[in-house]
Amino acid sequence: MNFKAYIRDIPDFPKPGIVFKDITPLLLDPAALDAAVAALAAWARPLNVDLVVAAEARGFILGGALARELGVGFVPARKPGKLPGETVSAEYILEYGVDALEMHADALEGGARVLLHDDLLATGGTARALVDLVQGRGAVVAGFGFLVELAFLNGRSTLDGIDVQTLIAYSGE
């Protein structure tokens, strides 16, 4: 399937000079959504993961579906202050600011094999924060699956040594 046909460019969002890659058209099409989840699951299945950890907010959409498809649990990595109970966090730099991700401190056990997921790989800040969060709890990052990669931003370089899969790659803006 040509997944790129289901991605819409939104210029100057969330700020001038940024071209936002909107995945909503893919989400609206049942066949495209199913094919995206199936493609990521086919790649991830041999990794034998115990859990999927995904970043808020768009990462939750395919992350939860991916966990279900793989028959494993799902751990949400949320923005600060959104989870009850004890949390652990990792900060990261966005293309347009600074943010953090948190997850419950008891969400991962040491040695768990984890598949990380987010909708988009850009500069790698969010992705690296997810890796740090998971590894900081003693879990093993088995791989990282993305729907979209902005390859021209070289975010993959922040994930050295990690098996990375993307369904769509853009080599230029």
Side-chain angles (χ1 to χ4, degrees):
M1 176 170 282
N2 178 14
F3 294 114
K4 221 179 234 189
Y6 295 93
I7 305 299
R8 175 175 49 194
D9 285 351
I10 308 290
D12 299 319
F13 184 83
K15 71 177 203 175
I18 293 185
V19 178
F20 184 83
K21 298 297 185 190
D22 182 16
I23 66 170
T24 305
L26 182 136
L27 300 176
L28 287 169
D29 187 286
L33 177 58
D34 184 60
V37 172
L40 286 169
W43 163 77
R45 199 165 276 110
L47 299 175
N48 296 314
V49 299
D50 302 305
L51 295 162
V52 173
V53 177
E56 186 170 345
R58 290 181 311 275
F60 289 177
I61 299 167
L62 292 186
L66 190 52
R68 186 199 174 281
E69 185 76 15
L70 293 172
V72 301
F74 177 77
V75 178
R78 302 217 49 200
K79 304 285 182 177
K82 300 286 185 178
L83 292 170
E86 184 184 351
T87 61
V88 291
S89 67
E91 287 189 346
Y92 61 98
I93 298 172
L94 291 165
E95 302 81 69
Y96 42 84
V98 176
D99 212 339
L101 289 174
E102 294 182 340
M103 68 179 185
H104 282 123
D106 62 356
L108 297 177
E109 295 181 16
R113 290 184 54 78
V114 175
L115 173 67
L116 301 178
H117 173 73
D118 203 356
D119 69 314
L120 183 129
L121 174 59
T123 63
T126 307
R128 187 72 237 176
L130 271 179
V131 169
D132 293 345
L133 208 50
V134 166
Q135 290 178 338
R137 301 312 293 168
V140 175
V141 175
F144 209 136
F146 298 92
L147 180 60
V148 177
E149 178 181 8
L150 304 181
F152 60 93
L153 293 177
N154 203 28
R156 194 179 281 247
S157 69
T158 68
L159 303 173
D160 279 347
I162 296 173
D163 189 2
V164 175
Q165 172 72 12
T166 60
L167 299 184
I168 305 164
Y170 292 92
S171 57
E173 290 184 45

